[in-house]
Amino acid sequence: MTEHPIEADEIAGDRDDYTAERPVDLRRQRLRPPSSSTAAAEPPNQPEAEDGAEPQEVSDPYGVGAENLAERTLDVHEVAAVREARLAMLRHPAPGVESDPAQWGWRGTLNGFGLRLRPPRDGAEVRYRRDVERIRQPLAGTPLVVVANPKGGTGVTPAVVLLSALLAEHRGGQVVAWDANEACGTLADRAAVCTGPETVWDVLGHAHELCSANADASGLARFLHRQPTLDEVLASDHSPGGSCCVGAEECAAIWAVLRRHRSLAVVDTGDNERASAFRWAIQHATQLVVPLIGRRDAVVAALRLLDGIADDGFEDLAAGAVVVLGSVGDTAMAADTLRTAGVQRVVTVPFDPVIASGERLVVHRLSRATIAAWTAVAGVVADGVADSFAREHAPLETEFVPETDWPARDPVVPVVRQRRTLAYALREGSTALSHHFGTPAPTRLMDDRGR
C-alpha cells in the first residue's frame, strides 16, 4: 500500500485535464473509397528506376503543363460545406417554390388579370420549380457530364444541347457543351447558334497560353459559340478532306483549359466506343447520361456500354448512370428491360417532333412538356454529380454502424453477380447473349435468380 492514497476527486480532476484526442469508435469506421485525393496524400511505393532511368513524364504535346493535366483534388472541408448546404436545401425548400403565383394552367391565366393564385402543391408547376432548385444546388468541383450511347440515332447530341442549355440557364452560365467526337461531330449543327468557324483545334492551338498564369476567361470565349441560354458550344472540326482526329491527348489538353475557365462541361462522345476520345471521356466522367429509345438494338447497346464501363473498373459510374428514355417505339419493353437489368435512374421524356426533325434546337421554342421533362433530367444529373463528389471525398468516419444480425447463407444456392446484359438475355432468351457471356445451365439459372 502507498503512504498517500489517491482520492477519487483527484482522479476526476486528472480526467478533466486530459487533453489527448478523443478515442476512435471502431464500429463507425470504414475504408475511404479510392480517390485522387488519397492517392495524392499517400503516394504508393514505386520501384526505383533501374540503370539511372528517369521517371516517365506525362505526355503534354500542347504545352498546358503537368500541373494542369493532373487530377484536381477537392478540399475535404469544401465538400463538407457543400454537403451541409445540400441538406439545408432539402430541409428548407427555396422560398417561392410553392407560394409564388402560378404561371401555368387556368390559375396562371387568371393571375394574368391581377390575381395571385398559388399552384397546387402536387402539380406539374411545383415539380418543375423543385427540379430547377435541384439544378441550382452547390457543387464541390468542376464536373464532366458525359452523354454516350454507341447506337446512333438515340438522341445523344440533342441531349447534350438540352442539358447544357438548361444547366447554364438555371446556374447562371459557365457551362460548355463540348463535341468530343473524334472527327466531324454534329453538335454545332444542332445548337441554337453557331457564330463562326472556331473548333476544338483552335482551342488546342492556344492551349498553352490559355493555361498560363496570365490567361483570362475572355480568351477562351473567342473560340466558343455563345448560346441564348448562356451556355457555350465547343464545336468539332468539319474541314473537307481533313485527316486529324481528336484523341486522348487532345481531350486531356482541352479539359485542362475548360476546367480552368468554366464550371461545368457536357460532353458529346459520338458513337465509336473504341475511339480513344470516347474512352478518355468515360474514364474522366463525373456523371454518365445514356439516351435511349424503345428499340431492342438501342437497349442492348446501352446495357453493353454499362457492362463495359463496369468491367473497366468504373462500377460506380455505371451504377449511377442516368438513362433518358425517349417515348419512341416500345417504351414499355425498354423500361421493363432496364428494370430487370437493375438500372436505377431512368427518366422518361416525351416525344418532340422538333427534336426528331434534326433542326437547330432553341429551348424556349420547345413545348412546355418537353422543357419540364428535360429539366427533371437535368435535376437528376445535378443530384448524381453532387453524390459522386460526396462519395469520392467521403470522410473516414461516418455514422454508419455495421449490421450485427447477418443473414444466414444458403449453402446450396450460389451467389453470383448478374450482369446487365445477362439480365437482358435471361429475359429475352439465350440468343440475346454476346460471345462474352456464357449461358449457365438451366438449374443454375433458376438458383441464381432465387426461383
Side-chain angles (χ1 to χ4, degrees):
M1 299 179 59
T2 60
E3 298 180 0
H4 302 284
I6 301 176
E7 299 294 337
D9 295 339
E10 296 178 2
I11 297 178
D14 293 340
R15 187 184 301 112
D16 295 337
D17 295 337
Y18 185 71
T19 58
E21 60 184 326
R22 63 184 178 85
V24 177
D25 188 353
L26 296 179
R27 287 177 59 81
R28 294 185 176 182
Q29 294 296 310
R30 66 180 179 86
L31 295 177
R32 184 193 295 273
S35 64
S36 57
S37 59
T38 57
E42 300 180 1
N45 296 328
Q46 298 181 354
E48 299 180 359
E50 299 180 359
D51 300 331
E54 297 182 357
Q56 185 177 3
E57 297 182 357
V58 178
S59 177
D60 185 16
Y62 298 95
V64 297
E67 66 280 2
N68 293 314
L69 291 174
E71 293 291 336
R72 301 290 178 88
T73 57
L74 299 180
D75 186 6
V76 177
H77 300 289
E78 181 182 357
V79 176
V82 170
R83 182 173 60 249
E84 294 301 323
R86 292 186 64 206
L87 292 176
M89 292 178 63
L90 294 176
R91 292 193 300 265
H92 308 287
V97 171
E98 298 179 355
S99 59
D100 282 354
Q103 298 179 355
W104 296 4
W106 62 268
R107 291 179 176 86
T109 302
L110 293 179
N111 288 339
F113 295 99
L115 299 181
R116 296 185 61 84
L117 300 176
R118 296 182 179 182
R121 290 186 176 182
D122 56 349
E125 186 171 1
V126 172
R127 289 196 300 269
Y128 169 77
R129 294 177 181 179
R130 290 172 179 167
D131 292 333
V132 170
E133 294 303 320
R134 293 163 64 192
I135 294 175
R136 292 172 176 169
Q137 65 181 291
L139 302 176
T142 304
L144 186 70
V145 179
V146 175
V147 184
N149 191 333
K151 181 69 179 81
T154 55
V156 171
T157 300
V160 173
V161 174
L162 295 174
L163 284 177
S164 65
L166 293 171
L167 289 170
E169 182 178 18
H170 299 302
R171 293 185 65 86
Q174 296 294 311
V175 177
V176 176
W178 171 16
D179 195 341
N181 201 313
E182 58 178 343
C184 300
T186 60
L187 179 60
D189 297 329
R190 299 303 307 272
V193 177
C194 186
T195 57
E198 292 79 13
T199 66
V200 293
W201 294 106
D202 295 291
V203 174
L204 291 170
H206 297 79
H208 174 71
E209 59 189 74
L210 290 173
C211 284
S212 65
N214 297 326
D216 53 23
S218 62
L220 175 61
R222 294 182 295 144
F223 310 114
L224 304 178
H225 307 281
R226 185 81 167 181
Q227 303 299 307
T229 46
L230 305 180
D231 58 322
E232 298 164 300
V233 172
L234 178 55
S236 178
D237 178 32
H238 289 87
S239 300
S243 59
C244 296
C245 292
V246 174
E249 292 180 343
E250 287 74 20
C251 288
I254 293 173
W255 180 230
V257 173
L258 292 181
R259 69 182 179 183
R260 186 180 181 90
H261 300 287
R262 298 296 185 266
S263 62
L264 191 149
V266 185
V267 180
D268 185 347
T269 58
D271 55 6
N272 184 4
E273 60 183 325
R274 298 189 179 183
S276 57
F278 191 108
R279 298 178 65 84
W280 181 94
I282 294 298
Q283 293 169 3
H284 294 80
T286 309
Q287 176 64 48
L288 177 65
V289 180
V290 183
L292 193 61
I293 57 176
R295 286 176 42 178
R296 177 188 174 279
D297 54 351
V299 173
V300 173
L303 295 180
R304 284 175 177 167
L305 172 66
L306 296 177
D307 273 340
I309 293 173
D311 291 341
D312 288 340
F314 303 97
E315 175 61 39
D316 289 341
L317 181 65
V322 177
V323 177
V324 183
L325 179 58
S327 299
V328 178
D330 192 351
T331 56
M333 175 275 298
D336 182 62
T337 302
L338 295 172
R339 191 181 309 109
T340 303
V343 179
Q344 301 295 325
R345 295 176 173 174
V346 180
V347 185
T348 303
V349 295
F351 172 79
D352 193 293
V354 178
I355 297 177
S357 66
E359 298 294 332
R360 294 191 177 276
L361 295 178
V362 181
V363 173
H364 298 295
R365 296 178 184 175
L366 300 175
S367 66
R368 179 175 293 172
T370 298
I371 295 177
W374 281 97
T375 302
V377 174
V380 176
V381 170
D383 286 340
V385 169
D387 293 341
S388 178
F389 283 142
R391 180 174 59 251
E392 182 180 358
H393 302 276
L396 283 175
E397 184 173 340
T398 66
E399 297 300 324
F400 170 75
V401 178
E403 295 289 343
T404 56
D405 298 330
W406 297 98
R409 292 186 177 181
D410 190 343
V412 178
V413 180
V415 178
V416 297
R417 175 172 173 266
Q418 192 176 53
R419 297 175 182 265
R420 298 168 183 85
T421 313
L422 180 58
Y424 173 81
L426 294 176
R427 177 182 179 277
E428 295 294 322
S430 60
T431 56
L433 286 170
S434 68
H435 65 280
H436 293 288
F437 304 98
T439 306
T443 305
R444 179 78 175 274
L445 279 176
M446 295 179 61
D447 290 341
D448 290 346
R449 300 179 68 183
R451 298 179 180 177

